[in-house]
Amino acid sequence: MSQSMTINLKIWRQASGAADGGFVAYTVENVLPEMSFLEMLDLLNEQLALKGEAAVEFDSDCREGICGTCGLVIKGTAHGPHAATTTCEVRMRHFHDGETITVEPFRAKPFPILKDLVVDRTAFDRIQQKGGFITANVGSAPDGNAVPIPKTDADKAMDAASCIGCGACVAACPNASASLFVSAKISQLSYLPQGQVERGRRALAMVTQMDAEEFGDCSNHGECEAVCPKEVSIENIARMRREFIKGAFGK
Amino acid sequence: MSSSGASRLDAKIPSGPLAEKWDKHEMDNGLVAPANRRKFSVIVVGTGLAGGGAAATLGELGYNVLNFCIQDTPRRAHSVAAQGGINASKNYQYDGDSVDRLFYDTVKGGDYRSREANVYRLSQLSMDIIDQSVAQGVPFAREYGGTLANRSFGGVQVSRTFYARGQTGQQLLLGVYSALSRQVAAGTVKMFPRHEMLDLVVVDGKARGIICRDLTTGELKRYQADAVVLATGGYSPVFYLSTNAVNCNATALWRAHRRGAWFANPCYTQIHPTAVPQMGDYQSKLTLMSESLRNDGRVWVPKKAGDTRRPNDIPEAERDYYLERRYPAFGNLVPRDIAARAAKVECDAGKSAYMSSQSVYLDFNEAIGRLGRDVVADRYGNLFAMYEEILNDNPYETPMMIYPAPHYTMGGLWVDYNLQSTIEGLFVAGEANFSDHGANRLGASALMQGCADGYFVVPRVVANYLAKGGLGEASTDHDAFQEAESSVRGRYDSLLKINGSRTVRDIHWELGRTMWDAVGMARNKGGLDDAITKIGALRDEFWQNLKVPGEGDDMNKQLEMAGRLADYLELGELMARDALAREESCGGHFREEHKTEEGEAKRDDDNFMHVAAWEFKGDGQTAERHVEELSYENIQVKTRSYK
Ligand SMILES: Cc1cc2nc3c(=O)[nH]c(=O)nc-3n(C[C@H](O)[C@H](O)[C@H](O)COP(=O)(O)OP(=O)(O)OC[C@H]3O[C@@H](n4cnc5c(N)ncnc54)[C@H](O)[C@@H]3O)c2cc1C
Ligand code: FES
């Protein structure tokens, strides 16, 4: 159907969190433009397996851009050079025959490397546990239409809620700030009537945990928004700041 | 081969009128007093809508919950990928919906092969799910006046599907995840991400624990509890290519099956009519194009076989909108099994989209004319973008190409009304059980079942089980834990030692082809017999010629995949045997020998109005088929028609 390509890879390999890592060069032949980037890595791992060499470890699951599991820095950019896509959505047609591509994990101090391209993002879970919820036990909910929500608010909440928690924002930020991720959740719940009661408490608790996890400060670089596969807006960060101040001063 | 096994297949359906069964059951159920709940521990495997919902709710109630998943965080369970929506019988549109109608549609949609009482409960609970999700902050689509919006899904004539753009599963799952996060902070739920359950531990006939592999370090670990809930999702990747995530697996179910949980209707699989067609053998998955697209998209093929013109060059008069032609009452929104089979019929007759003989068109031209491009973009923009990225083709300009793909498994572990399997203390929820969808699931009903099981059913039935008491001690030093752990260790050591010449992917691919050809959209005796032989031979090949690089005591995804494939190689055979034994066509199970003159599925209610539940008899032995008879007292059993 289409011309196959030869791709040269420089992949970060690291046996474990404690071990030293470094780039290793590989060449993959018979790469088709229709393949996804991860299918190209699958092909590499097939070739390695047949030679008895350990596979390059990387995370993926849905392979359609929704679960947030995958995450590689491709040619220096989190999720690759193409805007608004996750790593698993990147197609090989965006690269050319003979090209050399560097592949690295998402790097940030709060995301320790577990092996090769796999990192530990559980810091995000811990932030969420501090307040990324509405306290609503099963059994206590009123009818879904009891409280009308203006469509514009529901839409804004949905825009923020589309965050997939991949961590690209952190990997792209020069300060390794998690502000886009945290602000997306805070914003979502602040737009909804159900989220009002815990609003101040939530912002305070989540931001405090973000700092405790040693994510850096946000200094408005905007790299996070540029790499976000779901195009979550940096405006959420401004909103988070306002929410935090309200929370901190008990308003 | 059939035997009744009646005693073990007692569905334990409460007596009384259908509409009162669940409430009555709730009253009859035992309770555990709040102060005593923390003394009980419950293992929940899975963090999707079913598992995560159950874990969070059990936590809210005060039980000690241990919750496991394969992903690095519970928020990524496969429920996250659901696109189109979730059904509920709210009748907010005042178009004639009701609990009874959702019940009726679901039983009919399942081709009269599901259990009335379970489906009725599901239909009742559907409303509470919407309320609960809204309370958690799930941003469902709304009308300008602020009320909840609905869309239509296949196989029904009302609008009862609630949605959050094309990301309904994601939003519902984030609701579950937030509830779960709150319980983790409260200390009631202990979360174990990157942990894969590899065996069930049964002590004195009761499920008391699991063996897990820590996927980061490779370490095997033992976990003990008073009850075990499996909510591990479906097994569509037995076909290799499917719309499921690459880590979806049958291992938890299969290991429980080998320990005594009977497997019900394994051959009932759903082939979804609208996925991006397969384009090459490099592919690792097939991407779904949501059923919601059939609200506005029209399905067609060229009237002439072998027509290679581009779709836009084919005049209106030379197109066959075959769903609208064959099923005027439901048109493009016929149920999935019917739409999928109809696409196959056209392609088999040589009528297909130009790029692949295994694809048909889904055309939005008429909708764009009627609604304008912006409205279409607002409804389906994310799906169109996904499609364009994959096929490098713009669906606003050229009709989409689509083809059926394995998507959902109605089969699963057999459970009674209490979602308890044939092993005491082992509960099964969500896609992993078999109970609610019969031989075909309607769109937007899996999320409904996951949430109903998770939030509402599991917490109540598990409480009742625990309230009965009588559970003795079962520490992780018990022989049963010892034995289970060493059997897992033995298996994984063997996988690493084979050192043959075929990769996991290579063998999985071959299994997938065999399954798709013989146990896919159309099945027949010859093909199934042949598949059983082939799968057996492939299983031998696997154990003699597999190559898994790397070590066991380390992160090793090739090894994880190998373990899952080993189980698929056993399950695949059982699916073929089940399809062979079911000498009728119903829903997604289409036996070519049993069809009407018009080519529709032909049921045999006299002989097959039952659930088939398979009992594991040991390696190298053929599983034994038992039956649970189904009876319909509240619904008139008819020939299913969507004409
Ligand atoms: C692409 C796609 C779109 C869909 N769209 C819709 C839709 O619009 N509407 C609808 O109603 N349905 C839809 N479905 C179906 C629906 O999403 C699923 O049936 C449902 O979400 C399953 O939920 P679950 O909780 O049972 O399992 P899952 O969400 O699959 O969760 C399984 C959990 O079990 C864990 N697990 C599995 N095995 C193990 C193990 N051995 N050890 C430890 N943990 C394990 C996993 O890590 C995960 O946490 C769609 C499905 C797909 C594939
Ligand atoms: S694998 Fe799910 S987003 Fe990439």
Side-chain angles (χ1 to χ4, degrees):
Chain A
M1 188 166 27
S2 37
Q3 212 82 60
S4 79
M5 309 185 282
T6 298
I7 297 289
N8 302 309
L9 296 166
K10 274 172 61 190
I11 300 183
W12 185 264
R13 304 235 33 190
Q14 183 170 333
S16 71
D20 287 335
F23 284 103
V24 178
Y26 297 97
T27 298
V28 195
E29 274 149 27
N30 302 319
V31 175
L32 298 172
E34 301 82 42
M35 281 183 180
S36 71
F37 196 84
L38 297 185
E39 283 162 353
M40 182 272 298
L41 290 183
D42 290 342
L43 191 60
L44 168 67
N45 278 340
E46 289 284 294
Q47 293 168 4
L48 293 178
L50 289 175
K51 285 193 273 177
E53 286 179 40
V56 176
E57 296 292 345
F58 61 90
D59 268 333
S60 79
D61 202 18
C62 75
R63 296 204 172 191
E64 58 184 51
I66 190 69
C67 72
T69 308
C70 63
L72 301 174
V73 174
I74 302 169
K75 288 193 10 183
T77 307
H79 289 312
H82 218 57
T85 42
T86 54
T87 298
C88 61
E89 291 177 292
V90 174
R91 297 275 147 179
M92 292 312 294
R93 81 172 93 85
H94 302 304
F95 303 90
H96 59 77
D97 190 22
E99 186 165 349
T100 299
I101 305 172
T102 56
V103 188
E104 296 165 80
F106 280 1
R107 291 182 199 276
K109 193 170 161 211
F111 287 172
I113 292 180
L114 296 175
K115 188 176 177 188
D116 294 340
L117 303 169
V118 178
V119 300
D120 177 353
R121 291 169 288 191
T122 47
F124 274 9
D125 293 319
R126 291 188 292 273
I127 296 172
Q128 190 89 20
Q129 285 153 16
K130 291 293 170 187
F133 48 75
I134 292 171
T135 299
N137 278 0
V138 164
S140 57
D143 184 84
N145 263 346
V147 184
I149 304 177
K151 183 175 187 317
T152 42
D153 287 348
D155 284 349
K156 280 190 207 142
M158 181 64 212
D159 288 340
S162 51
C163 167
I164 57 174
C166 62
C169 47
V170 175
C173 176
N175 309 338
S177 170
S179 290
L180 193 63
F181 166 77
V182 178
S183 69
K185 188 45 69 185
I186 291 176
S187 275
Q188 176 204 337
L189 299 179
S190 77
Y191 281 118
L192 299 170
Q194 292 81 1
Q196 300 308 310
V197 178
E198 293 161 292
R199 202 167 160 178
R201 209 196 129 259
R202 171 182 309 120
L204 200 60
M206 291 181 79
V207 171
T208 305
Q209 185 64 25
M210 167 167 75
D211 293 343
E213 297 286 348
E214 297 189 60
F215 288 101
D217 289 331
C218 168
S219 41
N220 298 321
H221 283 270
E223 300 288 341
C224 53
E225 187 186 60
V227 297
C228 176
K230 298 296 147 184
E231 302 178 295
V232 172
S233 164
I234 201 167
E235 280 170 27
N236 289 305
I237 298 181
R239 197 173 168 90
M240 172 175 80
R241 290 195 176 116
R242 292 195 298 274
E243 294 291 309
F244 178 77
I245 290 168
K246 275 191 226 158
F249 296 100
K251 255 219 83 193
Chain B
M1 181 156 93
S2 283
S3 83
S4 88
S7 57
R8 298 203 46 198
L9 293 184
D10 176 2
K12 302 202 177 70
I13 296 168
S15 59
L18 190 62
E20 290 162 29
K21 283 185 196 292
W22 178 239
D23 284 347
K24 176 173 178 300
H25 194 55
E26 285 272 72
M27 264 315 287
D28 295 345
N29 268 342
L31 300 173
V32 180
N36 287 334
R37 292 179 197 156
R38 79 180 83 89
K39 296 181 196 149
F40 289 104
S41 55
V42 181
I43 285 171
V44 179
V45 188
T47 61
L49 295 176
T57 310
L58 287 164
E60 287 168 9
L61 289 165
Y63 297 97
N64 240 316
V65 182
L66 293 87
N67 193 192
F68 300 81
C69 70
I70 288 176
Q71 292 79 7
D72 63 332
T73 154
R75 66 177 288 159
R76 308 201 204 286
H78 186 53
S79 294
V80 78
Q83 301 170 347
I86 176 165
N87 289 330
S89 56
K90 285 280 198 186
N91 194 28
Y92 283 159
Q93 306 305 324
Y94 197 61
D95 56 358
D97 204 3
S98 63
V99 170
D100 282 351
R101 191 173 300 276
L102 175 53
F103 161 72
Y104 170 81
D105 288 343
T106 307
V107 174
K108 175 187 172 193
D111 216 353
Y112 307 93
R113 290 291 177 266
S114 50
R115 218 187 258 151
E116 270 193 339
N118 286 57
V119 178
Y120 201 87
R121 172 176 67 191
L122 176 64
S123 180
Q124 288 175 309
L125 292 173
S126 69
M127 294 193 268
D128 300 335
I129 297 166
I130 302 304
D131 301 341
Q132 178 62 22
S133 305
V134 168
Q136 284 167 344
V138 171
F140 283 123
R142 302 242 164 203
E143 305 293 351
Y144 280 101
T147 53
L148 289 155
N150 290 116
R151 54 168 56 139
S152 304
F153 257 58
V156 302
Q157 289 167 313
V158 294
S159 271
R160 64 159 73 98
T161 305
F162 295 78
Y163 62 100
R165 297 205 183 130
Q167 291 117 275
T168 316
Q170 179 200 26
Q171 294 309 316
L172 289 169
L173 187 67
L174 292 181
V176 163
Y177 170 65
S178 66
L180 210 46
S181 298
R182 187 161 66 90
Q183 293 313 309
V184 172
T188 56
V189 175
K190 215 164 171 269
M191 196 62 229
F192 298 88
R194 293 196 198 269
H195 274 62
E196 181 170 10
M197 166 187 162
L198 296 178
D199 211 345
L200 178 76
V201 182
V202 181
V203 178
D204 299 333
K206 296 186 173 103
R208 292 306 297 270
I210 60 173
I211 306 295
C212 281
R213 183 164 180 271
D214 178 331
L215 301 179
T216 308
T217 62
E219 195 190 337
L220 296 183
K221 298 176 176 170
R222 306 172 184 187
Y223 297 92
Q224 179 270 330
D226 298 304
V228 177
V229 180
L230 299 186
T232 51
Y235 50 86
S236 294
V238 69
F239 293 95
Y240 187 67
L241 286 180
S242 79
T243 63
N244 285 198
V246 292
N247 293 306
C248 290
N249 68 93
T251 287
L253 298 189
W254 194 255
R255 293 289 122 193
H257 173 61
R258 293 178 55 104
R259 294 273 177 201
W262 294 2
F263 210 116
N265 301 334
C267 82
Y268 285 173
T269 49
Q270 175 161 82
I271 312 293
H272 195 294
T274 58
V276 179
Q278 192 199 328
M279 289 297 173
D281 59 9
Y282 57 84
Q283 265 168 279
S284 55
K285 78 159 292 173
L286 297 170
T287 302
L288 180 76
M289 290 286 115
S290 166
E291 175 157 316
S292 60
L293 290 169
R294 287 194 278 141
N295 271 283
D296 288 306
R298 299 178 70 198
V299 178
W300 63 275
V301 288
K303 277 191 178 155
K304 200 169 68 198
D307 194 333
T308 54
R309 286 175 294 176
R310 301 257 164 164
N312 291 339
D313 297 336
I314 301 181
E316 222 22 65
E318 293 173 42
R319 300 174 174 192
D320 181 11
Y321 295 90
Y322 57 88
L323 291 178
E324 296 170 26
R325 171 173 59 78
R326 287 178 60 184
Y327 307 99
F330 285 70
N332 292 294
L333 279 174
V334 289
R336 293 178 175 173
D337 53 336
I338 300 202
R341 224 143 42 220
K344 182 175 188 298
V345 167
E346 299 302 327
C347 291
D348 287 353
K351 300 171 190 175
S352 68
Y354 79 100
M355 243 173 93
S356 156
S357 62
Q358 304 278 288
S359 66
V360 301
Y361 293 118
L362 181 62
D363 194 332
F364 293 88
N365 195 30
E366 184 270 338
I368 292 170
R370 177 165 46 87
L371 303 164
R373 191 180 154 130
D374 288 350
V375 174
V376 172
D378 190 46
R379 287 186 190 167
Y380 312 114
N382 68 324
L383 293 167
F384 280 30
M386 256 161 99
Y387 180 90
E388 182 164 6
E389 182 59 31
I390 297 169
L391 285 187
N392 207 15
D393 196 24
N394 179 353
Y396 293 99
E397 322 260 296
T398 327
M400 273 186 181
M401 286 175 288
I402 50 153
Y403 199 67
H407 176 63
Y408 181 89
T409 48
M410 284 77 71
L413 292 187
W414 185 89
V415 288
D416 63 16
Y417 187 74
N418 297 312
L419 304 187
Q420 188 166 230
S421 69
T422 51
I423 299 176
E424 233 184 292
L426 179 70
F427 297 83
V428 191
E431 189 172 339
N433 73 27
F434 88 104
S435 71
D436 295 358
H437 306 292
N440 173 60
R441 175 178 69 79
L442 291 180
S445 285
L447 298 182
M448 172 171 72
Q449 188 215 334
C451 290
D453 286 359
Y455 286 133
F456 300 108
V457 184
V458 167
R460 298 296 305 119
V461 296
V462 167
N464 181 47
Y465 174 73
L466 298 174
K468 280 190 213 144
L471 289 162
E473 283 297 300
S475 91
T476 51
D477 296 330
H478 193 283
D479 285 353
F481 277 92
Q482 196 81 40
E483 184 273 326
E485 184 185 318
S486 56
S487 107
V488 171
R489 193 178 307 283
R491 256 166 82 73
Y492 280 72
D493 286 349
S494 318
L495 288 169
L496 286 162
K497 276 198 211 115
I498 304 168
N499 205 15
S501 63
R502 291 186 67 180
T503 62
V504 177
R505 184 187 190 278
D506 178 14
I507 295 180
H508 199 164
W509 177 267
E510 188 175 331
L511 172 67
R513 287 335 295 167
T514 305
M515 295 300 293
W516 179 244
D517 291 342
V519 202
M521 272 191 287
R523 302 148 175 198
N524 62 52
K525 182 173 185 322
L528 290 165
D529 279 332
D530 200 32
I532 291 169
T533 314
K534 275 193 192 153
I535 296 167
L538 192 60
R539 204 163 47 228
D540 293 344
E541 167 81 357
F542 173 91
W543 284 105
Q544 282 155 23
N545 200 15
L546 181 73
K547 176 92 181 178
V548 183
E551 310 295 329
D553 56 356
D554 192 4
M555 178 182 288
N556 187 343
K557 290 183 204 286
Q558 296 278 324
L559 180 62
E560 293 168 27
M561 290 302 203
R564 295 172 201 157
L565 176 57
D567 292 335
Y568 277 138
L569 283 161
E570 295 180 17
L571 170 60
E573 178 180 328
L574 189 70
M575 290 168 71
R577 286 194 186 281
D578 188 44
L580 191 61
R582 191 168 279 280
E583 284 279 0
E584 64 162 351
S585 294
C586 57
H589 168 65
F590 191 71
R591 282 287 299 268
E592 288 170 330
E593 302 93 329
H594 305 285
K595 58 183 176 196
T596 64
E597 273 171 20
E598 289 160 309
E600 304 289 353
K602 192 166 156 197
R603 290 197 320 258
D604 176 357
D605 290 343
D606 291 341
N607 294 305
F608 289 97
M609 200 143 79
H610 60 229
V611 176
W614 295 83
E615 178 184 5
F616 181 73
K617 289 297 215 184
D619 282 315
Q621 312 278 350
T622 305
E624 186 177 349
R625 186 178 191 268
H626 303 275
V627 304
E628 175 203 338
E629 295 297 341
L630 293 167
S631 64
Y632 294 89
E633 287 156 18
N634 299 277
I635 205 165
Q636 197 194 343
V637 178
K638 292 190 209 151
T639 298
R640 189 163 160 249
S641 166
Y642 294 92
K643 297 232 179 249

